[in-house]
């Protein structure tokens, strides 16, 4: 109890220092909630927005590292520095968070474990918007717990901007760590170019009885050209590869000494028109992911290639300053070719419409509706209503909506194509799409341009939740390639899961002038989930019951000091076969000290991750590193 009290004090002291009218830094324009530009406070939703430059200021190494310290976000990491992480919002499963890059969805049709492999170099990111709660009426399937929406500098650029910015960095540290990042952003009236690379690798991280490794690289380039003041075209290509030791990432077997390599290629195109009150855009993207996984040196490797084709037509019209309409249609085609899961494909079409209407001063409502048609699966009609009312320094908000999620190819066909399966997780082709009803009520308090405090109560009533549950051989629906003596976890629709939670977060920004600035944020989440299934399903028992995370950046002249931390409580778990356990809780803190030269064009820094050397795991059997010391240099130039 003393530890929890201490964490509460730390979190709120970082988020709520000296409170002094609402400004665009704490209440910025967002696109994630309504597909059109709108102040965050008017959306009726709890949205946290992280500027892209936060990446190089905080002690983080990858985008999942950065998200780990965003208020309300739980990251369940299997390995360090982008090896593999699951993104969890409001107690959902890791497949129930939708990740979007400049309007195009990134969620992989093979497995949600790949959703944190975001193919964009940090140098290209303008901002990250985290929209918490039901969003299927806007974005369709998978947006159950929320949406992580990434906006990049190139695709967000406006005509007339002129600037050049170059960044580069290198680091080295314990466990054979070395890494590098670089980026360039160029704008000249009509033409906007950007590109970057991020590299992390190490070979000394200890796993159970062996030494782990990771070699992770992300590179991306993009261009945006304004053909006229009304028309523009943009294109991006990205390459991402993660090569890592994956021992016990997916099993708790003693014989598991797995290794895995996941390589992604991403193409994206945008054609946009905007004039007077109307806007129109055509967006397309193609994603190809190659996954090679070997359970151990004696087993045959699983090899899968998944592909995602998608198009979106979006039309917007502003009737007046009080009324705005957005509508369009999404088209998806998902494919997989796998020696483990077989060859499958699925189409999805979903028209949608959303109206933003201000009825009186300070009051905004937004009804939205999407019809999602799955090939060979029952279509779903998905409505939602968001409300917001300003009252002085307060913004009161509420939302109610339906959400849906269809099974990925792993949930449907895992171990389906093998000759003999003696144990492990087994897919189920007969899974039905999840559906749930969610509602939330909350408010935001703004205090004199420096402080924003938010609080939200929410509930989600889930039907047919898809999760793995231990199932006896006699009860398996398909026994063709199963052993009668095997132990299996079957993917199935859990009858009912209800989640209740409360989240509160604070952001504090104080620019004292003359290079003296403090930026802090903190969040607290309490969660409770109950299931009608007699045997608790795997992921429902894995999410945090209590979570607080925080970050702080202090800048004074040439000096920068930053801290990130989190405290998590969850259900204890044991795996006797591999002598592994999940503790009831853990506290983690990282720190970075940086000093700049030549007006901060060149900077050197020292950093320590897990500064208290806490032994912990987010998922059973996957220990994370202890204290990790490193240092590096950063170069910044702009004109």
């Amino acid at each position: 109890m003393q530890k929890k009290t201490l964490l509460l004090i730390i979190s709120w002291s970082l988020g709520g220092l000296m409170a002094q009218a609402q400004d665009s830094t704490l209440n910025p324009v967002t696109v994630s909630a309504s597909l059109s530009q709108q102040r965050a406070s008017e959306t009726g939703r709890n949205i946290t927005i992280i500027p892209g430059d936060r990446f190089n200021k905080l002690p983080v190494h990858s985008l999942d590292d950065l998200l780990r310290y965003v208020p309300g976000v739980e990251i369940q990491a299997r390995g360090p520095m982008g090896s593999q992480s699951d993104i969890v919002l409001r107690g959902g499963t890791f497949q129930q968070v939708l990740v979007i890059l400049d309007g195009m969805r990134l969620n992989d049709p093979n497995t949600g474990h790949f959703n944190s492999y975001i193919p964009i170099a940090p140098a290209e990111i303008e901002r990250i918007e985290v929209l918490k709660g039901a969003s299927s009426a806007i974005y369709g399937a998978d947006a159950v717990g929320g949406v992580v929406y990434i906006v990049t500098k190139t695709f967000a650029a406006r005509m007339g901007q002129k600037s050049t910015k170059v960044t580069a960095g290198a680091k080295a540290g314990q466990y054979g760590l070395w890494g590098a990042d670089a980026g360039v952003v160029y704008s000249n009236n009509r033409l906007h170019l950007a590109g970057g690379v991020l590299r992390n690798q190490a070979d000394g991280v200890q796993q159970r009885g062996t030494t782990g490794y990771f070699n992770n690289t992300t590179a991306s380039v993009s261009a945006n050209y304004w053909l006229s003041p009304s028309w523009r075209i943009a294109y991006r290509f990205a390459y991402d590869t993660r090569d890592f030791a994956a021992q016990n990432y997916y099993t708790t077997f003693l014989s598991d000494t797995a290794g895995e390599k996941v390589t992604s290629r991403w193409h994206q195109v945008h054609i946009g028109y905007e004039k007077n009150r109307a806007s129109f855009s055509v967006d397309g993207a193609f994603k190809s992911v190659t996954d090679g996984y070997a359970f151990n040196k004696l087993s045959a490797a699983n090899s899968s290639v998944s592909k995602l084709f998608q198009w979106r037509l979006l039309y917007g019209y502003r009737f007046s300053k009080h009324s705005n309409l957005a509508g369009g249609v999404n088209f998806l085609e998902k494919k997989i070719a796998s020696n483990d899961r077989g060859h499958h494909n699925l189409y999805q079409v979903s028209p949608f419409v959303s109206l933003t209407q201000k009825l009186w001063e300070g009051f905004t409502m937004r009804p939205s509706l999407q019809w999602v048609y799955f090939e060979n699966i029952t279509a779903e009609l998905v409505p939602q209503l968001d409300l917001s009312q300003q009252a002085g320094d307060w913004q009161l908000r509420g939302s109610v909506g339906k959400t849906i999620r269809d099974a990925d190819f792993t949930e449907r066909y895992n171990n389906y194509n093998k000759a003999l399966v003696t144990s492990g997780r087994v897919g189920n082709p007969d899974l039905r799409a999840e559906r749930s009803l969610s509602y939330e009520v909350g408010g935001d308090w703004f205090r004199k341009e420096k402080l924003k405090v938010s609080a939200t109560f929410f509930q989600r009533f889930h039907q047919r939740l898809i999760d793995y549950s231990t199932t006896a051989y006699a009860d398996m629906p398909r026994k063709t390639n199963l052993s009668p003596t095997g132990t299996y976890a079957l993917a199935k629709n859990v009858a009912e899961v209800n989640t209740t939670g409360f989240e509160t977060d604070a952001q504090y920004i104080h620019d004292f002038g003359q290079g003296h600035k403090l930026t802090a944020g903190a969040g607290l989440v309490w969660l409770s989930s109950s299931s009608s299934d007699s045997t608790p399903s795997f992921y429902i028992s894995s999410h945090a019951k209590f979570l607080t995370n925080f970050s702080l950046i202090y800048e004074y002249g040439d000096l920068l000091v930053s801290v990130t931390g989190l405290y998590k409580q969850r259900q204890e778990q044991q795996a006797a076969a591999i002598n592994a356990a999940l503790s009831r809780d853990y506290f983690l803190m990282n720190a970075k000290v940086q000093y700049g030269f030549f007006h901060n064009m060149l900077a050197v820094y020292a950093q320590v991750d897990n500064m208290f050397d806490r032994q912990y795991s987010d998922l059973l059997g996957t220990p994370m590193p202890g204290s990790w010391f490193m240092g590096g240099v950063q170069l910044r130039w702009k004109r």
Side-chain angles (χ1 to χ4, degrees):
M1 189 64 189
Q2 289 179 341
K3 186 185 291 185
K4 183 186 291 189
T5 303
L6 175 62
L7 265 295
L8 292 172
I9 293 172
I10 291 175
S11 298
W12 284 108
S13 63
L14 292 177
L17 303 173
M18 304 171 55
Q20 290 202 33
Q22 170 176 340
D23 103 334
S24 60
T25 303
L26 293 178
N27 185 27
V29 172
T30 176
V31 296
S32 58
S34 61
L35 298 176
S36 58
Q37 294 188 351
Q38 188 178 12
R39 287 288 180 196
S41 62
E42 298 174 337
T43 63
R45 309 302 303 278
N46 187 6
I47 301 175
T48 300
I49 299 179
I50 308 300
D53 65 359
R54 202 69 59 84
F55 183 86
N56 283 324
K57 293 182 177 180
L58 289 171
V60 298
H61 308 275
S62 58
L63 292 187
D64 58 314
D65 262 357
L66 180 61
L67 291 171
R68 190 179 183 93
Y69 304 103
V70 174
V73 179
E74 181 186 4
I75 294 294
Q76 297 177 349
R78 287 175 167 81
M81 300 191 188
S83 295
Q84 191 177 101
S85 295
D86 295 337
I87 306 172
V88 175
L89 284 171
R90 293 188 172 178
T93 66
F94 60 88
Q95 297 104 327
Q96 293 175 349
V97 175
L98 180 60
V99 183
I100 294 177
L101 176 60
D102 288 323
M104 294 283 93
R105 42 192 302 143
L106 290 172
N107 288 36
D108 191 79
N110 186 355
T111 172
H113 290 310
F114 298 164
N115 292 348
S116 64
Y117 296 161
I118 302 172
I120 189 72
E124 282 209 67
I125 297 175
E126 175 71 18
R127 66 185 185 272
I128 300 175
E129 304 181 2
V130 179
L131 170 62
K132 301 163 191 173
S135 305
S136 287
I138 294 291
Y139 293 107
D142 304 332
V144 179
V147 174
V148 176
Y149 195 113
I150 299 165
V151 180
T152 65
K153 293 179 170 68
T154 310
F155 277 57
R158 308 301 299 177
M159 187 174 176
Q161 294 178 343
K162 292 185 178 182
S163 66
T164 302
K165 184 177 181 180
V166 178
T167 59
K171 65 186 175 189
Q174 292 178 291
Y175 306 118
L177 169 70
W178 75 270
D181 67 274
V184 59
V185 180
Y186 171 80
S187 297
N188 187 3
N189 193 18
R190 293 191 177 197
L191 178 64
H192 307 273
L193 302 171
V197 63
L198 175 67
R199 170 75 174 178
N200 290 308
Q201 76 171 61
D203 57 7
V205 180
Q206 291 299 307
Q207 294 184 318
R208 176 179 50 81
T210 186
T211 300
Y213 66 90
F214 59 84
N215 300 284
N216 303 328
T217 302
T218 302
S220 59
V221 292
S222 59
N224 181 8
Y225 185 73
W226 287 85
L227 304 169
S228 72
S230 300
W231 285 95
R232 68 169 175 146
I233 184 169
Y235 171 76
R236 165 173 292 112
F237 171 73
Y239 172 85
D240 184 278
T241 182
R242 317 285 171 122
D243 184 5
F244 49 89
Q247 184 180 59
N248 296 128
Y249 275 27
Y250 312 116
T251 80
T252 54
F253 299 145
L254 190 63
S255 54
D256 185 343
T257 57
E260 186 167 13
K261 185 176 182 179
V262 184
T263 301
S264 307
R265 290 172 176 83
W266 173 263
H267 298 266
Q268 181 174 1
V269 65
H270 168 86
I271 300 172
Y273 170 83
E274 185 177 353
K275 189 174 183 179
N276 299 327
R277 297 183 177 186
S279 64
F280 174 78
S281 65
V282 180
D283 294 271
F286 169 67
K287 180 183 181 182
S288 174
V289 178
T290 301
D291 175 36
Y293 170 82
F295 177 76
N296 57 35
K297 293 181 179 180
L298 299 178
S299 63
N302 293 345
S303 178
S304 302
V305 178
S306 59
K307 296 180 180 181
L308 174 64
F309 301 84
Q310 58 183 309
W311 291 95
R312 184 187 71 174
L313 303 179
L314 177 62
Y315 176 77
Y317 190 80
R318 180 171 53 85
F319 297 100
S320 68
K321 65 179 182 179
H322 301 297
S323 183
N324 186 77
L325 179 71
V329 61
N330 293 309
F331 171 80
L332 301 174
E333 182 184 10
K334 306 175 183 180
K335 291 185 175 183
I336 190 170
S338 170
N339 64 346
D340 166 36
R341 294 157 178 78
H343 292 54
H344 311 278
N345 66 285
L346 177 69
Y347 293 94
Q348 179 183 319
V349 180
S350 51
F352 59 90
V353 64
S354 180
L355 174 67
T356 301
Q357 180 70 51
K358 294 184 178 181
L359 296 182
W360 57 77
E361 185 65 29
F363 181 80
T364 304
M365 65 177 294
R366 187 177 66 253
S368 305
L369 183 66
Q370 184 157 169
W371 182 72
V372 184
Y373 172 77
F374 301 101
E375 181 188 16
N376 300 325
I377 303 172
T378 304
E380 298 280 353
L381 195 62
V382 185
Q384 185 163 320
L385 177 64
D386 304 323
L387 304 172
S388 176
Q389 172 68 64
Q390 184 179 3
D393 291 336
W394 286 88
Q395 195 81 31
L396 307 177
R397 48 185 167 76
S399 178
V400 59
K402 178 182 175 181
T403 60
I404 58 172
R405 186 184 77 84
D406 186 34
D408 58 39
F409 287 130
T410 295
E411 290 168 321
R412 288 194 182 280
Y413 302 108
N414 190 52
N415 282 324
Y416 197 78
N417 211 43
K418 289 184 176 180
L420 177 65
V421 179
T422 57
S423 58
R425 296 179 190 174
V426 177
N428 182 358
D430 298 324
L431 290 169
R432 295 184 293 169
E434 298 177 351
R435 60 168 58 163
S436 64
L437 177 66
S438 299
Y439 78 88
E440 62 183 84
V441 291
D444 309 310
W445 179 59
F446 297 88
R447 183 61 177 168
K448 296 188 176 179
E449 303 181 359
K450 294 179 176 64
L451 178 66
K452 175 190 175 185
V453 180
S454 303
T456 308
F457 173 82
F458 57 89
Q459 285 191 307
R460 183 172 62 246
F461 305 98
H462 228 113
Q463 295 178 331
R464 308 192 310 228
L465 180 97
I466 300 169
D467 209 342
Y468 290 95
S469 185
T470 301
T471 305
Y473 171 82
D475 297 325
M476 296 294 286
R478 176 181 181 268
K479 303 180 178 66
T480 305
N481 61 343
L482 304 183
S483 168
T485 60
T487 302
Y488 302 102
L490 176 68
K492 64 179 185 177
N493 291 105
V494 179
E496 228 176 75
V497 174
N498 298 331
T499 300
T500 300
F502 176 77
E503 62 190 13
T504 179
D505 51 81
Q507 299 177 65
Y508 179 77
I509 301 174
H510 194 159
D511 191 340
F512 301 92
Q514 298 181 334
H516 189 189
K517 185 177 181 180
L518 177 65
T519 304
L524 303 172
V525 181
W526 289 268
L527 281 169
S528 176
S529 294
S530 60
S531 173
S532 63
D533 201 20
S534 57
T535 302
S537 55
F538 180 76
Y539 292 106
I540 290 303
S541 61
S542 297
H543 71 69
K545 313 303 180 186
F546 173 83
L547 173 70
T548 177
N549 49 8
F550 60 87
S551 64
L552 179 147
I553 302 171
Y554 177 71
E555 300 168 85
Y556 187 73
D558 298 324
L559 178 67
L560 180 148
V561 179
S562 60
V563 177
T564 58
L566 67 88
Y567 173 73
K568 179 190 293 191
Q569 283 187 1
R570 68 277 176 89
Q571 181 176 306
E572 294 180 90
Q573 296 182 33
Q574 304 283 336
I578 57 173
N579 193 31
L582 278 187
S583 60
R584 176 179 174 271
D585 61 1
Y586 71 82
F587 174 58
L588 185 69
M589 185 177 286
N590 314 308
K592 178 179 183 179
V593 179
Q594 177 175 300
Y595 192 81
F597 304 90
F598 312 115
H599 303 288
N600 276 320
M601 287 182 58
L602 178 67
V604 296
Y605 69 88
Q607 180 174 325
V608 56
D609 293 354
N610 192 0
M611 59 190 303
F612 299 122
D613 196 27
R614 179 64 195 261
Q615 304 303 304
Y616 75 100
S617 299
D618 280 328
L619 291 159
L620 192 61
T622 58
M624 294 291 285
S627 292
W628 198 338
F629 294 90
M630 63 203 71
V633 296
Q634 290 184 349
L635 172 69
R636 293 187 294 270
W637 178 81
K638 63 179 180 180
R639 67 176 177 86

